[in-house]
Amino acid sequence: MKSTIVSAVLASLLLVQQSVAHPGQSAAEAQAEIRERAEYMSKAAPHKRSLAHCAAKLKARNLDAARRAAKVEALREKRAITQNKPFLRARDFEDVLNTDHHSNLTVTPESDPSELFTGNASCILTPETTEGPYWVQGELIRQDIVDGEAGVPMTLDVQVVDVNTCEPVPQVFTEIWHCNSTGVYGGVVANGNGNTDDEANLDNTMLRGVQLTDKDGVVSFDTLFPGHYTGRATHIHVMTHVGAQQLPNNTVAGGNITHVGQIFFDQDLITLAEQQEPYLTNTQTLTTNADDFIMAEEAENVDPVVDYVLLGDDISQGIFAWIAFGMDATANQSVTPAVYYTENGGVKNPNGVSGPPGGAAPSGFMPSGAMPSGTAIPSAALESS
Ligand SMILES: *[C@@H]1O[C@H](CO)[C@@H](O)[C@H](O)[C@H]1NC(C)=O
Ligand SMILES: *[C@@H]1O[C@H](CO)[C@@H](O)[C@H](O)[C@H]1NC(C)=O
Ligand SMILES: *[C@@H]1O[C@H](CO)[C@@H](O)[C@H](O)[C@H]1NC(C)=O
Ligand SMILES: *[C@@H]1O[C@H](CO)[C@@H](O)[C@H](O)[C@H]1NC(C)=O
Ligand SMILES: *[C@@H]1O[C@H](CO)[C@@H](O)[C@H](O)[C@H]1NC(C)=O
Ligand SMILES: *[C@@H]1O[C@H](CO)[C@@H](O)[C@H](O)[C@H]1NC(C)=O
């Protein structure tokens, strides 16, 4: 059941935020996206809305902490960053809509790194259905998704946990995609997403990739810290494919889409990154976490913000970030790709939502109060063709 407080917050955000939610997305599509989430959440069983019931089980699994500590050391070695440098900061927060939730924990070289990584099962995403309009089907299986783009290096560990069993899920293809340092998604040509005359961007695979989770249910991507674009807080999209097959050309096909979500970053970390080149050259409007309606809704039940440490003295030497999220292995979400990535490059989905902003807000949409169950969802935003 949605709380009326959050509904009211969303309603007020809607009033001030009639701009695009994703590049090229109209206010009507943004509202459809919110409604779609609300609809899902109102129907989901409590244990599918958060992983709070898994806390004890997840906490008992200290193996993850050791694995992450080892990962940080390996990354520092790879980037020739002195091993005995202190971890500069760890974050910890109670209210994800509160933008001032950095830990003031003092961490020294003597600190046990595993302490930094002992989670409280807080960083768990809710299964939901917001792929946004910019999903490209058929992206490559690969760990490094940078493709030569400039920005702050970031290694992102994502752990997939089954909401029904509270166990990590090995062997699930997990996909991420996000915009570059100046707020443009590769793979999509659409109004609001960079230069619409740049058709070459359709073939651009930057900052998109798929990997199979390991025995601990983890995938690790080498990417960049995302930039921002008008209308949305800085975020990364995540999707899981259960039972999908790896094709000979290193892409995946088939299976069920069991989770679609977005992960977010601490506002202080965003501020640090935005002070670097080429983030500084981004002329799009920055939306803070506090003003992001998708984040507000995710944060109703869970903490969708990554934990992180800086690998070196300042952010330019890189970030190691990690998050676990819940996936309902029995689900099969219906999502519509904006573009198909093929052997001939990107091919626009004529039924996708990558086009220019759509029509007026659907009649009957009530931005305040509880979402009526059974509310119809505009087909352009949701359904497969
Ligand atoms: C950390 O912050 C809390 C609350 O603001 C404060 O009470 C505490 O003294 C701080 N700890 C340190 C080590 O500064
Ligand atoms: C874990 O989170 C819960 C809920 O926020 C809190 O009550 C509890 O004190 C936390 N436990 C630890 C060990 O931080
Ligand atoms: C981000 O991607 C767009 C599209 O490829 C490109 O035009 C822009 O230059 C990129 N930003 C940077 C900083 O390279
Ligand atoms: C996909 O979902 C359907 C139900 O929608 C289920 O019957 C099937 O077993 C699932 N496939 C896999 C590989 O999990
Ligand atoms: C899962 O959903 C997709 C998209 O709606 C559909 O094409 C596929 O047939 C479904 N799979 C199963 C096993 O129901
Ligand atoms: C990979 O193979 C599939 C199946 O033949 C094909 O549809 C797809 O276009 C190929 N993708 C790439 C990037 O080559």
Side-chain angles (χ1 to χ4, degrees):
M1 202 57 80
K2 283 178 58 59
S3 85
T4 49
I5 292 171
V6 168
S7 293
V9 168
L10 287 174
S12 61
L13 286 174
L14 273 172
L15 291 177
V16 299
Q17 192 165 352
Q18 294 291 341
S19 57
V20 291
H22 283 88
Q25 187 178 25
S26 67
E29 285 165 344
Q31 287 169 2
E33 194 169 322
I34 295 172
R35 186 166 49 188
E36 172 193 350
R37 295 175 56 83
E39 173 79 358
Y40 178 89
M41 295 301 284
S42 69
K43 286 181 180 166
H47 78 281
K48 293 186 178 179
R49 283 189 244 139
S50 96
L51 283 189
H53 63 291
C54 296
K57 208 161 181 176
L58 292 172
K59 198 142 184 102
R61 203 180 293 112
N62 268 329
L63 172 153
D64 293 341
R67 182 178 47 73
R68 285 169 178 151
K71 186 64 157 293
V72 167
E73 282 175 23
L75 284 168
R76 285 178 160 182
E77 197 165 314
K78 188 171 144 194
R79 299 197 178 130
I81 297 167
T82 316
Q83 290 289 342
N84 63 5
K85 284 265 171 60
F87 296 102
L88 288 184
R89 64 174 72 205
R91 51 159 304 284
D92 173 34
F93 61 87
E94 297 166 9
D95 177 358
V96 293
L97 284 181
N98 178 346
T99 54
D100 182 24
H101 40 229
H102 260 109
S103 169
N104 57 2
L105 189 64
T106 303
V107 184
T108 69
E110 288 73 44
S111 302
D112 177 357
S114 66
E115 278 174 25
L116 288 177
F117 299 103
T118 305
N120 190 13
S122 59
C123 295
I124 303 292
L125 285 180
T126 308
E128 39 78 19
T129 56
T130 306
E131 81 273 22
Y134 283 180
W135 178 47
V136 173
Q137 184 175 308
E139 288 294 344
L140 301 171
I141 300 170
R142 55 188 188 154
Q143 173 167 26
D144 186 338
I145 61 174
V146 176
D147 279 353
E149 282 291 305
V152 171
M154 179 168 73
T155 295
L156 175 66
D157 268 26
V158 175
Q159 183 178 45
V160 182
V161 176
D162 189 324
V163 295
N164 299 301
T165 64
C166 297
E167 295 292 340
V169 195
Q171 300 288 303
V172 55
F173 280 107
T174 302
E175 176 164 10
I176 68 168
W177 68 100
H178 62 88
C179 65
N180 71 1
S181 60
T182 49
V184 181
Y185 285 87
V188 173
V189 175
N191 284 347
N193 186 50
N195 177 3
T196 48
D197 295 332
D198 178 18
E199 284 291 324
N201 200 31
L202 208 50
D203 301 335
N204 191 338
T205 59
M206 69 172 176
L207 312 174
R208 295 177 180 272
V210 189
Q211 281 187 88
L212 199 56
T213 55
D214 66 11
K215 64 177 176 27
D216 299 315
V218 174
V219 290
S220 182
F221 286 98
D222 289 330
T223 186
L224 300 176
F225 191 77
H228 70 270
Y229 55 86
T230 304
R232 284 300 316 282
T234 304
H235 64 276
I236 289 182
H237 296 265
V238 186
M239 182 185 279
T240 53
H241 307 256
V242 166
Q245 284 197 318
Q246 179 165 352
L247 302 180
N249 63 11
N250 210 35
T251 63
V252 300
N256 293 349
I257 294 175
T258 48
H259 174 86
V260 192
Q262 296 178 24
I263 60 181
F264 297 87
F265 299 90
D266 196 83
Q267 198 66 48
D268 287 351
L269 181 61
I270 294 167
T271 301
L272 280 180
E274 293 284 344
Q275 288 162 359
Q276 302 284 312
E277 293 290 351
Y279 300 83
L280 275 172
T281 66
N282 190 350
T283 56
Q284 301 195 64
T285 306
L286 181 83
T287 298
T288 63
N289 289 339
D291 287 339
D292 188 88
F293 57 86
I294 299 276
M295 184 174 181
E297 190 155 20
E298 277 197 14
E300 182 182 1
N301 294 285
V302 298
D303 178 348
V305 177
V306 301
D307 285 316
Y308 71 96
V309 292
L310 302 183
L311 295 172
D313 284 333
D314 65 60
I315 193 171
S316 67
Q317 289 179 287
I319 301 163
F320 174 60
W322 67 95
I323 192 165
F325 67 83
M327 166 201 101
D328 180 1
T330 65
N332 184 23
Q333 315 259 12
S334 173
V335 295
T336 306
V339 168
Y340 299 95
Y341 186 64
T342 74
E343 55 262 55
N344 302 315
V347 176
K348 272 186 195 176
N349 177 5
N351 303 310
V353 289
S354 64
S363 64
F365 176 59
M366 303 297 288
S368 61
M371 297 291 165
S373 65
T375 303
I377 297 165
S379 60
L382 290 179
E383 291 164 13
S384 290
S385 52

